[in-house]
Every structure is written in structure tokens, then in C-alpha cells.
Amino acid sequence: MSIHVLFLAAEAEPFVKIGGLADVAGSLPVSIQQISQSFGASDRVDIRMALPFHTAIKQNGFSPKYLGKFHILRGQQELPCQVYQSSNAGMLVYFLDGPPLAGKTAVYSPHSNQDGEKFVFFSLAALKLPEFLDWRVDILHTNDWHTAPAIIALKTQRCASGMLSNTKTLHTLHNLPFMGNNNENAMMAYDLPPGDDPNLPDWARLSPLPLGLSLADKIIAVSPNYAKEIMTEKLGCGLESFLIKRKSVISGILNGIDTDAWNPETDPLISQAFTHKNLHERLFNKRSLFRRFNLPEMKGVPLLTFISRMDPQKGLDIALQGLEQCQSQPWQVIILGTGDSIVEDLACEFERKYPQRVRTFIEFNNQLAHQLYAGADILLMPSRYEPCGLAQMIAMRYGCVPLAHSTGGLLDTIISVVKDPNLGTGFLFEEDTPSQFSSSLKLALKCYQEPQKWQQIQHNGMKTDFSWRKSALKYIHEYQALVNTSV
């Protein structure tokens, strides 16, 4: 008999995308289902996804099939929940809709406390879905704080009957600082009790993520290194002591990337397709960027790029100060992203200061991102912390060499050229400071002047397997272990 998994997320490709969670939710469960089809009947995974039926999904033109409705109790009030069905690459996807979602045009509000009602409703509705479908659930797989209330409700015996009577819980931790704090009112409105784990700080007892982490049977961080970092004072966000006590159920599995969507050999969004076997063709993409953005093309000068959400976490300020310290070095840079207005202003000011060397684009532009990965020489990732990161994997696949802070998934995915000249895939700096960044950049710029050595680094990165297959197999093993363990 196959393992039944209900996968909950706030967003997923191709239906709606705001951040990296959509990439994961759009690829991981599909990969799990596809890979498991080659297994014996008892080890196959019947995985299905539930998503909030966001206004953005409706506006994107998706018209799923209406299946029916049930009701969710909010105090003494019964709220209707409509169920719709679609699919993603053969995997069933259910959209759940109801009054808390009505009229909400944004997937996420600027302040998480405004999202509490919406996501608590969705989480509880997802627990009603198995009975509605007459479908047993062996594993409830939740992601981020938005779906953690489903674990809380299940574990406090509100729904542990029928199709959920033997359900185990697995929570994927994407970004610890986003805990869903200040949502006590929504939690209490739906009768979700405060946590009674003595190891939880008092302030976390009604926060969705900490409470979900205290009750989950298994916690998977999105990289092995991040699984260790969340148990430190620097990156534990005040939960490090609690997480250390839960160490036995915490591990890390790297995210992957969609190697079909990110493939320089077949990418329709770039000027010139190429592989590691004909890297000289890649130069056409770089020249196309120079022409398009009126940047002077200078022989021997590498093109750097920063492609990211504009957020203090991503460390653009570190990169800009580090570039200032390398004014005498040969470089040009194209910056792409949107987000925090203060960070955006820093990027725009940097272009005004160096108009012959810098271009800044304050926007979300998927096509330009593809072109930058395909044409730039070095990707800058000076993140203060990075649970996993996808950009460095994409960059390496396109022969764009990453220069990154040695943290989280960056340390797990990039092999330092300094430590291993033969197998190195990028450059890492230890401390998140401008001086450390500039020192690492100078090494990269020096290496760039040695074409044979630089091409070896590109080859190493392009041949690395960052597909979802390895990650999906590890998740399947976690499912099997949970199903076969008494918790």
C-alpha cells in the first residue's frame, strides 16, 4: 500500500510565485511522486498538494474544477470552505477557498499579523480535506509558518481521527525568522491552544512556527548547514536552546532547482544557447547585455551581477561597500531586484555614482534574470544568512561563477576554489563584512585573468547535479522512516 502525503504550502509554481517557496513547492512534490513510481507498490508515494485559492491564482487564469464544500468552525461560527481540484505534472492539487481569503489581493500582507486569519483558516481546512476526499493521510508535510497551524491542530487532537488517525508530521523549515508572530488573535479565534512545551520561550507559545516546530515529528531544514546554524545564538532567533533540545528530530536536505526550466542548452529566454562543451558561445549572451544596456564592453573586464530580493538579509550593502574598496580593479556590475526601499535606493545611488560600470533595475524580471545568469561572469551572493539559496545553483549551471558568504546552503553547494583548486566551483568569504567580500572578489578577479583556470571553474559548476532527484529521494526516505516509526 502506497504512502499518502498531504503537502501544504502558501504558494507554488506554476499557480502563484512570490518567493523561493513557490519553486520548492512547484518541483519537490512532483519529483517525489515521479521518482516513487519506479518503486514497489508499498513504497510508492501518493502525494497531493493543497494551496489557498489566492486571488492571484484566479487572476493568473487558472480555472480548477469545483468539487464541493465543507465548513470550518471559528469559535461558534461555521465558515464555508470551497474545494477545487487541478493538477501539476500529474500530481493532484487542491485549492481551498473561504471568507478569510475573499478580497485578499496579495498573497502575503506586508505585516504577518494581517495574514494570520487567512492561513490559520487554510491550515484547518486542509485537515478537513482528507475526510472530504475519503483519502487516508500518512504524512502531513507542512512548509513555513503559514501551514504550521495544521500540525498544531492535528497534534492537539482536534482532527486526529478517521483519515488522520495515524498521520505523522514533517515540517520543512525554509526561513526561521519568519515565525508568524503577532497572530495570537487568529490562533485563539480558531481555538488553537498555547504551547505547553516547557522548552519553548513564553513569547513563542502562540506563534505558529515555534509551536509547530515543538509538535512536529520531523523537522527538515533546507540545507544541512542551516540545520546546524539554527541551533546557534547568531541564527537561532531566540529559539536556539529549544531547537538544541529537539536536535534528534532535526536534519537538513538541500533544495534543488528545476533543471528543465534552468537549462542553458535549451533556454528560450537567452540570446545564445550553450553547454560546458562550447563555452565560447556563452560570450554572445554577455555582449547582448552590453548592447542592450549601453554598457561599454572592455576586454578582460568581468561582468558581475546581483539577482535577488532587495532585503537586508541579502547583503547588497556589503557588496556595494566591498566594490567601493575595489575601485581600482576591473569590474562592471548589473543589479536586478525589488523589495526594501532603503536597499533599492542604495542600488540606484551606486549606478549614479558609477554610470560607466553599473546598471540597476528595480523590478522582478524573470527573462532578464535568465539572461544575466547566461551572460554575467560572477554572481554576487553576500547574504548575511542563506538557509539554502537557489541562485548560486542556477548560476553554476549557466557557467556564472558564484562569489558568496560562507553560510547556510551556500557553504553546502559551493566548493571553494581556494580550498580545492581542481574541483572548486566558486569563491567563499568567511565573515559578512565588506573587507572580506572585497578580498574574495580580488581573488576572483585575479583568477578571471587566467582563462584556462576560469573555464575549469565554470566546467566544474556546470557539471554539478542540482536536480531535485537527490533531494526527493531523501524526502521519500524520511517519509518511509516516519511511517515505520511509532511516535
Side-chain angles (χ1 to χ4, degrees), residues 1 50 81 113 159 188 228 254 276 320 322 362 389 411 474 485:
M1 197 158 49
C81 176
N113 64 321
C159 310
M188 291 188 290
K228 299 173 187 174
L254 269 172
H276 69 275
L320 299 185
I362 306 299
L411 182 58
K474 290 179 180 178
T485 302

Side-chain angles (χ1 to χ4, degrees), residues 1-4 36-46 480:
M1 197 158 49
S2 61
I3 299 172
H4 294 185
S36 78
Q37 296 311 302
S38 63
F39 297 171
S42 62
D43 291 323
R44 287 178 190 156
V45 179
D46 175 7
Q480 292 168 338

Side-chain angles (χ1 to χ4, degrees), residues 209-267:
L209 181 59
L211 190 47
L213 294 177
S214 76
L215 295 169
D217 296 321
K218 181 68 182 180
I219 300 166
I220 305 286
V222 290
S223 71
N225 194 48
Y226 191 55
K228 299 173 187 174
E229 290 178 338
I230 59 174
M231 298 184 211
T232 66
E233 184 176 354
K234 182 178 180 181
L235 294 176
C237 302
L239 293 177
E240 55 274 10
S241 297
F242 156 73
L243 291 169
I244 288 171
K245 289 184 171 66
R246 296 232 71 201
K247 186 176 182 179
S248 63
V249 301
I250 299 174
S251 60
I253 297 177
L254 269 172
N255 287 333
I257 59 172
D258 185 334
T259 51
D260 292 325
W262 298 104
N263 185 351
E265 189 172 5
T266 59
D267 193 335

Side-chain angles (χ1 to χ4, degrees), residues 8 13 15 30 66 101 157 202 272 296 317 322 345 397 400 408 425 479 484 486:
L8 308 184
E13 286 270 46
F15 307 104
V30 170
Y66 176 68
L101 285 156
Q157 303 302 309
D202 290 341
Q272 177 65 52
D317 58 313
D345 289 345
R397 186 158 169 79
C400 182
T425 58
Y479 293 161
N484 294 322
S486 297

